[in-house]
Amino acid sequence: MATWTLGDIAEKMADIDFCMLATQEAGSSVTGRPMSNNGDVDYDGDSWFFAYEQSAKIRQLEANDNVTLTFAGAKRLLGAPGVFLSVEGRAELVRDKAAFDAHYHKGLDRWFPQGTDTPGMILIKVKAGKIRYWDGEDEGTVAL
């Protein structure tokens, strides 16, 4: 069994666009929703997601910044399972236009029609603390 590095994780994540972002709802229920990685595939332990400031997920993050991101990669050759990643981290809400410009790409125009000038836009930065991985052969944890 090999021990993966953050570089190995980054390589696996490069082909995965969407993940599930799980936040804590008031009253202790967990709520998840799909989020795009915005084309930021040079993973360094930070994930970036655009959202609308008035959304429920933002209220949840303001109350509790602990989150989990889950990623699932496509099956590999001969039916071998793809990679599964679970990232435990802390979310930070970013309202800086320069950060918007640094992480935005045109594929997001579908959800944000005015690009980084879309009213109510906010950026969620998730800083990983621990990453669990499984791929049918290897499994383990990378602590950051």
Side-chain angles (χ1 to χ4, degrees):
M1 185 180 298
T3 301
W4 291 9
T5 65
L6 184 58
D8 297 323
I9 300 286
E11 183 179 315
K12 305 289 185 186
M13 290 176 95
D15 294 328
I16 305 172
D17 183 16
F18 283 88
C19 71
M20 293 296 288
L21 167 66
T23 57
Q24 189 77 32
E25 179 71 64
S28 77
S29 67
V30 175
T31 303
R33 79 281 294 149
M35 301 292 288
S36 172
N37 69 17
N38 310 318
D40 278 345
V41 295
D42 295 328
Y43 188 68
D44 61 0
D46 294 337
S47 298
W48 301 86
F49 307 102
F50 285 96
Y52 282 98
E53 187 145 16
Q54 297 305 314
S55 64
K57 68 182 144 287
I58 300 305
R59 289 190 305 277
Q60 292 160 2
L61 292 172
E62 288 172 334
N64 183 344
D65 64 356
N66 290 297
V67 299
T68 299
L69 306 175
T70 55
F71 296 83
K75 285 185 179 181
R76 297 176 296 165
L77 292 175
L78 304 174
V83 65
F84 296 92
L85 302 167
S86 176
V87 178
E88 296 174 24
R90 306 292 290 257
E92 174 187 342
L93 300 176
V94 179
R95 294 172 175 88
D96 177 56
K97 178 78 161 64
F100 291 3
D101 292 336
H103 295 283
Y104 195 84
H105 77 84
K106 294 299 284 175
L108 295 170
D109 286 352
R110 175 179 180 182
W111 294 283
F112 304 98
Q114 295 175 27
T116 58
D117 294 320
T118 300
M121 174 184 272
I122 193 166
L123 189 56
I124 302 167
K125 175 184 177 182
V126 175
K127 184 161 196 62
K130 180 169 50 172
I131 305 170
R132 292 264 309 141
Y133 60 87
W134 305 265
D135 76 348
E137 296 173 6
D138 295 320
E139 66 177 88
T141 302
V142 176
L144 303 175

